[in-house]
Structure formats: structure tokens, C-alpha cells
Amino acid sequence: MTKLFTCLLTVTLLALASSLASAHDPSSLQDFCVAVNNSNSAVFVNGKFCKDPKLTTADDFFLPGLDVPRSTSNQVGSNVTLIDVDKFPGLNTLGIALARVDYAPYGLNPPHIHPRATEIQTVIEGTLLVGFVTSNPDNRFITKVLNKGDVFVFPMGLIHFQFNIGETNALAFSSLSSQNPGVITIANATFGSNPPINPDVLAKAFQLDKSVVNYLQQKF
Ligand SMILES: *[C@@H]1O[C@H](CO)[C@@H](O)[C@H](O)[C@H]1NC(C)=O
Ligand SMILES: *[C@@H]1O[C@H](CO)[C@@H](O)[C@H](O)[C@H]1NC(C)=O
Ligand SMILES: *[C@@H]1O[C@H](CO)[C@@H](O)[C@H](O)[C@H]1NC(C)=O
């Protein structure tokens, strides 16, 4: 039992180390690996514990309800429903996730980063102004207006956004190249961190008066 535990621990640490080193999802080592939390009922280790393949059912690979519009009555007027491995254990080790994004008229999915995924987005309804900014030193802004049926790709790790410039609701679906893409919303992470970043740091970094930094930190 102790031997098995040590072995499992080693495998887990190795998996962790290799995923840190490559910063990508590991490629699949078997057909699938439905995630379970309880290691007693698990057989393989690959990121998360896997359900015994013999015990998997179609429901492990199924998730209903993405047709239902989400509420967009919030400050930014958008709502992202991210289906990652925590919501959908069947995604474990498969290197993929999905999002439904609802936009109110003039709603914004604010500038953000997915640290571990490239995103490919299809517009189902409405008109979106989208864009991303390339890394230093160019910081080139690449932007486009998308209509129904249009597809756009946001490369991994770059700041991007979508803004509904139409007078109707908009809807888009995105696929992301990680089971756990992660999200860093720039404004929230910068001005709403916990605990707050020293205002002197933000004042200098953003070339702002400290009163403006204090104001922004209160907002977030
Ligand atoms: C595993 O635990 C996490 C965190 O407590 C929870 O969000 C998730 O739904 C659980 N997954 C399963 C398959 O039970
Ligand atoms: C997104 O929509 C769901 C369902 O309508 C709602 O429960 C949730 O609070 C909304 N999230 C935001 C950030 O508005
Ligand atoms: C960002 O901060 C605003 C203001 O506090 C909050 O309403 C919003 O939910 C936050 N967004 C995210 C993605 O955490």
C-alpha cells in the first residue's frame, strides 16, 4: 500500500514537472481519462486521476444546456460560460475546452489573457469588434469586425477582447486548446488583486496620478 502510494506520488510529481516544463497540456497517453477526485476508484494518473475506462459511460462525454442564453446584466454586458475540465471531467488530458459567450448590445468581453490556450471563435449572431495585441516590442493591434458565421483566432497568451458593436444581442462559441485554459482579466488582475498591488507601483507602471490608481483600485 505504501509502495503504491509512493509510486502514485512519483507519477504525479513527474506529470506535474513535465507539464510545468512544457507549459502545454500533455498529449493523451490513452484514448481518454475521465477525471475523478477519489484516487481509490482511479487507475491512471495524468494531470488528474482517471476514472477506470471500463466504468465510463456516454454521460462522461456529454454536457447539455449550452443553447440557453446567459444573463448579461452586469457591468460589462457579457457572460462567458467556460466548459473546462472542472465542469466537464471527460475533457481530462484531451487538451481542449469550450466557451459560450453572450453579449448584450454594446456588451464587452474585456481585455484578457488565456495563459495556456489559443482560442478559435465563431460568431453565431450579431456583430463583434475583436482584436489582440502582439508581444513587445511591437505591440501591434490586430483587429477585425466579425459578423455571423465569421471565425477569428486569438493566439495563446496574447491580450484580446470582443466588443458587441451592434444594437442586438450577440452570441459566439469558442474552442480553446487546453482542458484548463485559465483567464486573466487585465483590469481585475491589475487593479483588483488581493492584496492590492502597492499604488506607487501602478502609478509608475501606468504613468498615472496616484489618486487615479486609488480610484481604480476602489472600482475593482
Ligand atoms: C472535483 O473537485 C472539484 C473541487 O472540489 C470540484 O469542483 C469538481 O466538481 C469535482 N469533480 C468531480 C468529478 O467530482
Ligand atoms: C451568467 O449567466 C448565468 C445564468 O444566466 C448567471 O447565473 C450568472 O450570474 C451570469 N454571470 C455574470 C457574470 O453575469
Ligand atoms: C472584475 O471586476 C468587476 C468590478 O469589481 C466585477 O464586477 C467583475 O465581476 C470582475 N470580473 C471578473 C472576470 O472577475
Side-chain angles (χ1 to χ4, degrees):
M1 199 58 214
T2 323
K3 243 185 180 166
L4 180 65
F5 178 75
T6 313
C7 174
L8 275 179
L9 191 69
T10 310
V11 173
T12 310
L13 288 177
L14 280 176
L16 194 67
S18 70
S19 70
L20 284 177
S22 70
H24 289 275
D25 289 358
S27 54
S28 296
L29 300 177
Q30 58 278 320
D31 284 354
F32 51 79
C33 168
V34 176
V36 288
N37 284 338
N38 179 359
S39 60
N40 291 332
S41 61
V43 290
F44 300 118
V45 177
N46 189 351
K48 290 184 183 258
F49 292 108
C50 312
K51 191 173 191 175
D52 184 339
K54 291 196 286 297
L55 302 179
T56 55
T57 67
D59 281 342
D60 286 323
F61 305 98
F62 171 75
L63 184 124
L66 272 199
D67 59 322
V68 181
R70 268 49 176 181
S71 161
T72 52
S73 22
N74 53 52
Q75 278 157 319
V76 289
S78 73
N79 193 327
V80 179
T81 309
L82 177 65
I83 309 299
D84 60 10
V85 68
D86 287 333
K87 291 230 182 88
F88 193 0
L91 294 183
N92 194 34
T93 73
L94 299 183
I96 198 163
L98 179 72
R100 174 191 170 110
V101 193
D102 291 82
Y103 310 83
Y106 307 110
L108 173 71
N109 184 10
H112 63 280
I113 289 170
H114 301 292
R116 292 175 290 276
T118 289
E119 170 174 357
I120 182 167
Q121 183 172 59
T122 312
V123 179
I124 305 297
E125 211 176 280
T127 303
L128 296 178
L129 171 72
V130 305
F132 65 83
V133 177
T134 67
S135 55
N136 300 354
D138 292 353
N139 297 139
R140 196 148 77 91
F141 178 43
I142 309 241
T143 184
K144 184 95 183 158
V145 172
L146 306 182
N147 291 296
K148 182 174 176 171
D150 291 346
V151 174
F152 201 79
V153 63
F154 304 99
M156 175 165 6
L158 300 186
I159 296 181
H160 62 283
F161 67 86
Q162 300 105 30
F163 185 38
N164 181 3
I165 54 173
E167 286 168 8
T168 58
N169 289 336
L171 171 65
F173 282 88
S174 289
S175 301
L176 297 115
S177 61
S178 168
Q179 67 180 37
N180 183 22
V183 189
I184 302 168
T185 305
I186 306 301
N188 293 57
T190 310
F191 295 103
S193 68
N194 180 23
I197 298 176
N198 184 327
D200 290 322
V201 171
L202 296 177
K204 198 154 258 179
F206 287 84
Q207 298 286 293
L208 291 173
D209 195 272
K210 228 161 105 176
S211 62
V212 180
V213 171
N214 289 331
Y215 170 80
L216 287 170
Q217 286 188 317
Q218 267 156 34
K219 274 224 111 108
F220 290 96

